[in-house]
Amino acid sequence: MAINDLELARRLDAGLVDDYRLARSYCLDVPTFALIHLRSVAHKLVDLLAGAVDIKFKSKNLYDRIEVLNRAKAIDVRLARQIHKLRSEGNKGAHPEKYRLSQEQLVTLAQKAVEIAANLMDGCFATIKGQQPPEWQFEALDQVAGRELCYRAVMEGDHQAQYLVGISLKAKGLMQRERELSFAIANDSADINLDASASLLKQASYWFAQACDHHDGARFEHGVALIHGHGDRQDREAGEELVKQAADAGLAQAQALLGYFYLSSSTAFEQNLVLAERYLLLAAEQDQAEAMANLGVLYHQGVDGVADTEKAELYTAQAARTGYPVAQYHLALMLMDKEEAETEQAMQWLQQAAEQRYPDAMADLARVLLDGDQLPQDPARASHLYREAIRYAGLPRAMFELSLAIFDNEVPDADLVEGATLLQAAYHYAESGSDLHQAIEALSPQLVAAIEAECRQATSEQTPLLSLILQRFDPQRLPKPFRR
């Protein structure tokens, strides 16, 4: 009789069971939590494989360890890809907001990742146990765990359950907030209704506060909620102190954030690059992608004021290989800025970051596709990428560059009224006195003068459209305030 996948995990190694069981139980209700535990399964499988073939690792980084096993032929290419997949999906679970994934997308990722983990255990069984795996079948997932979770949180005061309820509400709240902001941008409105997301984030904050004194993860999340004012109050200093407590308890996410505080300074912590390096390295050793990316920033500027470009590229590349889009974008910039630019590789990383909807990467790739230097010209795709960068982040420079492309007739179906509206929006959202703000102030008078000249030669059919465009500018030929 065939056993189920949970029993397969137990027979392979008892140390896998807890992580795999938690991932199975919560992938439909708290997918971020499930994905993080599946990354832990990947870590443990790699260690078991190394022990079975007597390999000693020099690096603590999971990517490096997988590659050592691959090069030693302890695993084949298929298994290496599956382990890398679990590692990558786990990073998405740790930072869903950085990957701009909806709750539905996270659930789908978690469901697929659980099945990948089960097949991976089957594929590793012979190497680890020295015998063929037993006959097994994958047991269907259900949502019973979610109902039990809420019961334990409310009725039993279970701190782990309270933390997980908070995580689920926070993920839903952040996704809802992104939808609210996207809706406001799509409707040219500065009046943003955040009530729905605020309610979800406030509920999440409540549950983190309930578990804060007994659970390191909840302590970290409660600190983050205080920093952002997601609950009844905002208290950045108290929130940052809670993050430090969680970091000193060994929580990788907290170590990464505390390292960032020391890197850039914060309310409670002055800039201290030595401490920044210390905490970021601790988090990076636990495969924390954001910490690796910030180590790249740290070494790029130099701990002692002298840049270490080799280390900067090394850590940024490690973070990029985890699938972290911010690092992929930064790595693309680093490769382009090298004395001998590695253009082809840079474009590959830029496109990977853009595919994950990282706004700056989408805007940069759009410019590349308009210019046709590093990649073949593709104005239609460039226009789409600009619009996506605007939709996901309201990126002022994307608004400005798309506006210019429209007025210069570089994109298909150029709508001059839309171009003027985008210029208004870019001027409204750009920081006053910034380079972008000044560029718009320098360009607008020239643009208006050109349109006025066209008006003087326009036909009766063209005049209404040109007049409509001119209505977007004030007597000083600057964009009027953006419509609220």
Side-chain angles (χ1 to χ4, degrees), residues 405-462:
I406 289 172
F407 280 110
D408 290 340
N409 202 31
E410 291 182 304
V411 292
D413 302 320
D415 182 331
L416 298 183
V417 175
E418 181 193 17
T421 305
L422 285 167
L423 197 62
Q424 277 185 288
Y427 192 59
H428 173 82
Y429 289 113
E431 185 179 344
S432 181
S434 65
D435 289 346
L436 178 56
H437 211 256
Q438 292 175 23
I440 295 172
E441 289 178 341
L443 173 75
S444 288
Q446 300 173 29
L447 184 63
V448 172
I451 295 171
E452 288 173 340
E454 282 190 48
C455 277
R456 289 192 289 270
Q457 301 175 7
T459 66
S460 57
E461 291 180 353
Q462 295 170 325

Side-chain angles (χ1 to χ4, degrees), residues 347-364:
M347 289 302 104
Q348 290 174 359
W349 286 116
L350 184 63
Q351 291 189 85
Q352 285 190 44
E355 285 168 5
Q356 297 196 74
R357 300 187 292 275
Y358 184 62
D360 285 303
M362 288 192 284
D364 278 16

Side-chain angles (χ1 to χ4, degrees), residues 30-245:
V30 197
T32 53
F33 181 74
L35 289 166
I36 290 168
H37 277 277
L38 289 171
R39 184 174 63 182
S40 182
V41 169
H43 270 281
K44 291 176 180 178
L45 280 173
V46 164
D47 287 342
L48 289 169
L49 287 164
V53 296
D54 199 27
I55 287 177
K56 305 294 183 186
F57 293 123
K58 294 180 181 178
S59 171
K60 294 183 179 180
N61 183 272
L62 181 57
Y63 179 93
D64 294 336
R65 291 183 169 199
I66 298 168
E67 288 305 295
V68 167
L69 291 174
N70 192 16
R71 287 194 296 271
K73 301 193 183 306
I75 52 176
D76 59 26
V77 174
R78 181 182 59 83
L79 286 178
R81 285 177 180 168
Q82 287 180 327
I83 303 174
H84 275 308
K85 186 72 172 173
L86 280 194
R87 175 188 59 82
S88 175
E89 306 299 39
N91 289 323
K92 292 175 184 176
H95 296 287
E97 72 284 356
K98 297 291 194 316
Y99 295 84
R100 301 182 179 276
L101 296 170
S102 69
Q103 183 74 2
E104 294 76 17
Q105 288 172 318
L106 286 167
V107 168
T108 300
L109 277 182
Q111 287 177 296
K112 290 179 179 177
V114 168
E115 294 192 41
I116 289 172
N119 289 319
L120 185 56
M121 290 187 291
D122 177 82
C124 295
F125 202 97
T127 301
I128 294 171
K129 303 295 288 186
Q131 62 187 61
Q132 292 303 306
E135 185 181 347
W136 65 281
Q137 60 185 17
F138 187 79
E139 192 168 290
L141 302 164
D142 60 47
Q143 289 185 299
V144 173
R147 294 190 292 273
E148 291 178 351
L149 193 66
C150 294
Y151 179 85
R152 296 205 317 272
V154 176
M155 303 303 293
E156 298 178 359
D158 184 308
H159 304 308
Q160 172 76 347
Q162 291 168 340
Y163 165 69
L164 290 176
V165 169
I167 287 291
S168 180
L169 289 165
K170 178 186 175 182
K172 291 174 183 175
L174 291 175
M175 302 307 166
Q176 176 63 28
R177 178 143 299 179
E178 184 169 302
R179 284 193 289 269
E180 291 162 347
L181 294 172
S182 295
F183 178 82
I185 291 166
N187 288 275
D188 297 344
S189 175
D191 296 325
I192 306 171
N193 186 340
L194 303 177
D195 291 348
S197 62
S199 176
L200 287 166
L201 293 170
K202 185 175 181 179
Q203 292 176 62
S205 177
Y206 169 82
W207 288 111
F208 292 141
Q210 296 304 300
C212 177
D213 293 337
H214 308 277
H215 191 288
D216 293 331
R219 186 174 298 114
F220 167 72
E221 293 291 353
H222 184 44
V224 172
L226 285 172
I227 290 168
H228 293 294
H230 287 162
D232 291 323
R233 64 192 174 98
Q234 182 172 29
D235 189 337
R236 293 190 62 88
E237 187 167 356
E240 289 172 12
E241 288 293 346
L242 286 173
V243 170
K244 186 177 188 306
Q245 291 175 26

